[in-house]
Amino acid sequence: MGLSIGIIGLPNVGKSTLFNAITNSQVDAQNYPFCTIEPNKGIVPVPDERLPILSEISQSERIIYATIEFYDIAGLVKGASKGDGLGNKFLSHIRETSALVHVVRCFEDPNTVHVYGNVDPLRDVEIIEVELILADYEMAQNLVASQAKKVKSNIAVEKQKLELFQKIEQHLSLNKSVRQISFSDEENQLLKGIFFLTAKPIIYVANIAEAEVGKESPAIQNLKQYADSQQSPFLTICSKLEAELSTLNPEEKLEYLKEFGLTESGLSALSKMAFKCLSLQTFLTTGPKETRAWTIHQGDTAPQAAGVIHTDFEKGFIRANVIFYEDFVANHGLKIAKEKGLLRQEGKDYVMREGDIVEFLFNV
């Protein structure tokens, strides 16, 4: 299951610096608008402190982490939905991502030009959000026009689609995002394969200066209040600090984080937040060959989880041998845990839990 995140924001807010840091790549991050012309893609392992522990117990040959794909697109500006600053091209790059991370500048720096002259998080957020809504409104208008021709066939589902698209068009015309609309299960089915930008979960990231780590400036407070009003996750990250962390080994990272009073990196916090807002979780497999984290939806059953490994596992599912991570570690593996009756046999109706360690039995 692919988890992909589009990083959006105005020019010169620190998007590419953050992207460089979390993907440990070196895309251009110069101090001028539209430095990023094509979207930069980075596949990042999701930090998970459980995997090295399991690997050591199982003497695994390798560790495979769950991953997130990050897309860093060029800074958007007012008029992006109409193509200003190559905006339409940039917006198309993130239509199929799972979620958006909106990086908002909350730091003062005379050496880094602000495209609108001064730091004002709420103004900056509004500019981007209006452009996303306008881009979606144009898309909704096109869908309505196209669907109106199909309604002449008198097929009920085509009429349902038209009414749905008209509902979305009307909502967007009021300058409201698609994520604020409540859809029925039937409507969600009709919308499969249609990607509205403002339907995506969005995480607001305040990019702050190193001197502001652990503090709350008025700019940070304003942005946090706005995120809360939208019922969206909020996170503060210092792109410069993340860039420095990306050059260090794990032990050095921990020491450096301690100096700032932090317990985890911005990437770790962002990964957890993305999983939560997309209702995702992980289950684990471990053995001599590999220890691995697999991404599934919360509420998935054991056969659905098995299908993430291979479709044959779901089709021929017999049962799942499941043990809680804590029990596996406390007993240093399966042997003693099994003797204590801690390994459970679960059937087709079992709903997976975060951190379950599983072995699937199947017959094809």
Side-chain angles (χ1 to χ4, degrees):
M1 178 185 299
L3 170 56
S4 56
I5 291 178
I7 304 177
I8 61 172
L10 292 172
N12 297 349
V13 296
K15 293 186 300 84
S16 293
T17 303
L18 178 62
F19 177 85
N20 285 347
I22 60 183
T23 61
N24 203 18
S25 62
Q26 291 300 317
V27 303
D28 208 343
Q30 296 302 313
N31 176 27
Y32 54 88
F34 314 125
C35 174
T36 310
I37 301 302
E38 293 297 328
N40 293 288
K41 175 183 171 183
I43 299 176
V44 181
V46 178
D48 191 332
E49 64 278 2
R50 298 170 299 189
L51 297 188
I53 295 169
L54 293 179
S55 177
E56 186 176 345
I57 293 171
S58 300
Q59 294 295 293
S60 304
E61 292 176 16
R62 61 177 182 168
I63 297 175
I64 301 178
Y65 290 85
T67 59
I68 298 179
E69 288 183 359
F70 283 96
Y71 290 82
D72 171 36
I73 69 161
L76 301 170
V77 291
K78 200 177 290 185
S81 59
K82 300 299 180 187
D84 288 3
L86 304 178
N88 263 333
K89 183 180 179 185
F90 297 155
L91 289 171
S92 69
H93 289 142
I94 54 171
R95 280 216 177 268
E96 295 186 32
T97 56
S98 312
L100 300 177
V101 167
H102 187 167
V103 180
V104 185
R105 179 170 166 177
C106 290
F107 65 89
E108 297 281 356
D109 184 353
N111 298 316
T112 303
V113 177
H114 191 293
V115 72
Y116 291 114
N118 66 311
V119 173
D120 184 343
L122 297 186
R123 176 207 58 206
D124 295 355
V125 165
E126 184 181 9
I127 289 170
I128 298 294
E129 307 238 321
V130 165
E131 294 308 319
L132 297 181
I133 287 170
L134 288 172
D136 276 355
Y137 182 60
E138 183 181 351
M139 178 174 158
Q141 286 180 311
N142 292 337
L143 286 169
V144 168
S146 173
Q147 192 62 29
K149 297 172 186 174
K150 298 178 184 177
V151 169
K152 294 172 185 175
S153 63
N154 289 322
I155 298 173
V157 71
E158 300 298 352
K159 188 179 178 185
Q160 282 179 289
K161 279 187 179 181
L162 177 61
E163 290 171 353
L164 176 57
F165 297 156
Q166 286 172 331
K167 175 170 116 175
I168 293 170
E169 180 189 23
Q170 173 63 21
H171 185 84
L172 288 162
S173 74
L174 299 174
N175 203 32
K176 294 179 180 179
S177 64
V178 176
R179 78 178 69 87
Q180 294 172 308
I181 305 175
S182 292
F183 294 114
S184 66
D185 290 342
E186 188 178 10
E187 286 175 326
N188 280 321
Q189 280 298 117
L190 294 175
L191 286 170
K192 274 202 167 176
I194 298 173
F195 304 104
F196 285 102
L197 293 166
T198 63
K200 300 179 188 303
I202 188 164
I203 299 169
Y204 292 97
V205 171
N207 188 16
I208 62 174
E210 287 189 22
E212 292 174 321
V213 173
K215 301 174 184 176
E216 278 208 8
S217 67
I220 296 168
Q221 289 172 345
N222 289 340
L223 184 58
K224 185 177 187 305
Q225 286 172 5
Y226 178 80
D228 289 344
S229 75
Q230 301 298 303
Q231 297 181 307
S232 292
F234 170 81
L235 184 66
T236 59
I237 286 181
C238 174
S239 289
K240 281 190 175 180
L241 174 59
E242 294 297 320
E244 289 159 9
L245 285 170
S246 70
T247 65
L248 305 176
N249 64 42
E251 293 77 20
E252 291 171 331
K253 277 184 186 177
L254 285 175
E255 287 302 313
Y256 198 51
L257 285 167
K258 281 181 188 175
E259 290 180 25
F260 288 89
L262 301 173
T263 56
E264 64 180 346
S265 68
L267 170 60
S268 179
L270 186 57
S271 301
K272 290 174 183 174
M273 199 167 275
F275 266 66
K276 187 176 179 181
C277 80
L278 290 167
S279 299
L280 300 176
Q281 63 183 17
T282 53
F283 73 88
L284 312 169
T285 55
T286 186
K289 186 179 178 182
E290 68 179 31
T291 290
R292 182 165 183 165
W294 304 84
T295 305
I296 56 173
H297 290 102
Q298 291 173 16
D300 277 357
T301 60
Q304 288 172 315
V308 172
I309 297 177
H310 198 289
T311 52
D312 285 349
F313 284 27
E314 183 173 6
K315 289 174 187 172
F317 180 89
I318 299 172
R319 70 173 186 271
N321 293 331
V322 186
I323 183 170
F324 295 134
Y325 167 81
E326 294 79 8
D327 290 338
F328 185 94
V329 173
N331 292 281
H332 206 71
L334 276 182
K335 188 173 183 296
I336 297 173
K338 221 172 177 180
E339 291 168 1
K340 291 181 179 179
L342 297 172
L343 182 70
R344 313 181 315 278
Q345 292 189 346
E346 302 288 359
K348 292 183 178 181
D349 295 331
Y350 178 68
V351 177
M352 300 291 292
R353 290 179 33 160
E354 168 63 39
D356 276 345
I357 298 175
V358 192
E359 177 191 25
F360 294 109
L361 279 75
F362 65 99
N363 182 27
V364 177

